[in-house]
Amino acid sequence: MKATRLSAAGLAVALLGALAASTPARAADTATNASSTTCATDPATPKRQFRAMWIASVTNIDWPSAASQTAPDRIAKQKAEYLSWLDLAQQLHHNAVVVQVRPTADAFWPSPYEPWSEYLTGVRGQDPGWDPLAFLVEESHKRNLEFHAWLNPYRVSMPAPGAGADLSKLAPNHPARQHPDWVFAYPPANVAGSRLYYNPGIPEVRAFVETAMMDAVTRYDVDGVHFDDYFYPYPSGSYEVPDDAAFAQHNRGFTDRADWRRDNINLLVQEMNAKIKAVKPWVKFGVSPFGIWRNRSADPAGSDTTGSQSYDIISADTRKWIKQEWIDYVVPQLYWYIGQYPAADYARLVPWWAEQVRGTRVQLYIGQADYKSGDPAYGSFWMNPNELSDHLTLNRSYPEVLGNVHFSAVQVRANRLGATDSYSAEHYSRPALVPTMAQLPARPLQHPVIVGVDRKADGVHLRWRQPADGKGPFGTATAYAIYRFDGKAHIDACGFADASHLVGTVRGTAGDVQSWVDADTAAGTAYTYYVTALDRVWNEGPASPARFVR
């Protein structure tokens, strides 16, 4: 955005003053000095918490809807559907969306490497006539929601009515048709549920999928890159993954195939992280793995569980990725209830994952199974309308848990048993800032200056300027946080320590003057407002001088 114009003398004064006032810049709450003060905070209204829902495109689970593909105004309908998901995210005080834009080795943008996704038009490879990813990112940012591009590395097709194991049913320009030696069918082509996968053991495949995925990072203003739990395929019966030839040719000295497969995925994760940070150091990289790494019976470092182990069944050594800090965040899919469930008890797994990230720079968010809530097929525990809310309450006991991601959008909106209402009221009643990451680049921010505060029929209108924005040693304000206090009083640092008085965040716009309308005000009540600047990765600058409105 455009910085406020200052005279040379004025800029010098601003620079000197802010340098003295805003060190260290990287701390999340240095703006209000809350980090150096012991403050009583409300655990129900944390200042920082990652909140998102997965918006899945594969088989048109969430967006776009299958019905939109044949609508006469298809593009307008798909845009409207996405905006409705953003409305829901804002209503629930989420601060991010995780949107699937490469579900089956295809693309939701005009990729020079892969065909258009069938989930846009119903036809594999058909140009939808617009750039969905550009729209998704732009509209998400207008709402000040982080946009995490959800990419599936190796899955090429889905079972019928998808292409299944038939290469000829893929888009004519699909790389898998040009390189049939790059893919395998699993389970075998004559077995129900068969689909195609790129072979993770072929170096050329790994290089290609990294290049194809990096195209979205380099060309679009995404905030994060997100992988889910699909790497090697989940086992189907007793069928083996058909990678004999790849192992023989590309084993890199490994004699144990399971170790080799894990190393193939390790290389993908390590290389993607390095490539992302080389191009855009501020873009986060996260993975949402299956909720069990290994059971304690198989590995002393494992969890007190007896379920399937991602380390073994899909070759995902997620614990190593955390310890090596190849990822910025991890979202284990803890899709089990709290209770006596020896295979995988939520109450046993949360502390295990908390222990894994402790002492690392990797942030922990928990994947929540909204899709199970209110569905009797998953058992009586999921018929408790407070089960998900109880999950979030349990999370509070572990400071390493910094957020939640809900699967998936249609289930969040379905609100069966009123479960969404329950956990939102108890845990998301106030907005929250995204947790900061010390490993991401940051520069100090100046405090905003509120230049106008006026009460009107539709609420209180605030206007402010951002001095020295992006000038000299100062960072650029990407967004702003607005705090409101009743009455007229001087507020100390503890007033900003949680979200009790955070009324909203807003994306910065071009121009010198920023503005926001507080529509949730009471007639006859006086308020004091403060505004803080937030950089691209949610580091917060000093609070503005207070402004009072009668």
Side-chain angles (χ1 to χ4, degrees), residues 9-48:
L11 177 58
V13 171
L15 295 177
L16 290 171
L19 279 174
S22 58
T23 304
R26 201 175 285 281
D29 302 314
T30 47
T32 56
N33 293 319
S35 59
S36 60
T37 306
T38 301
C39 302
T41 58
D42 184 351
T45 59
K47 180 170 180 172
R48 292 187 179 272

Side-chain angles (χ1 to χ4, degrees), residues 71-92:
D73 55 347
R74 172 177 50 80
I75 296 174
K77 182 171 178 57
Q78 291 180 349
K79 288 182 175 182
E81 286 180 355
Y82 185 70
L83 293 180
S84 73
W85 290 126
L86 299 187
D87 289 342
L88 178 62
Q90 284 191 297
Q91 173 191 330
L92 298 176

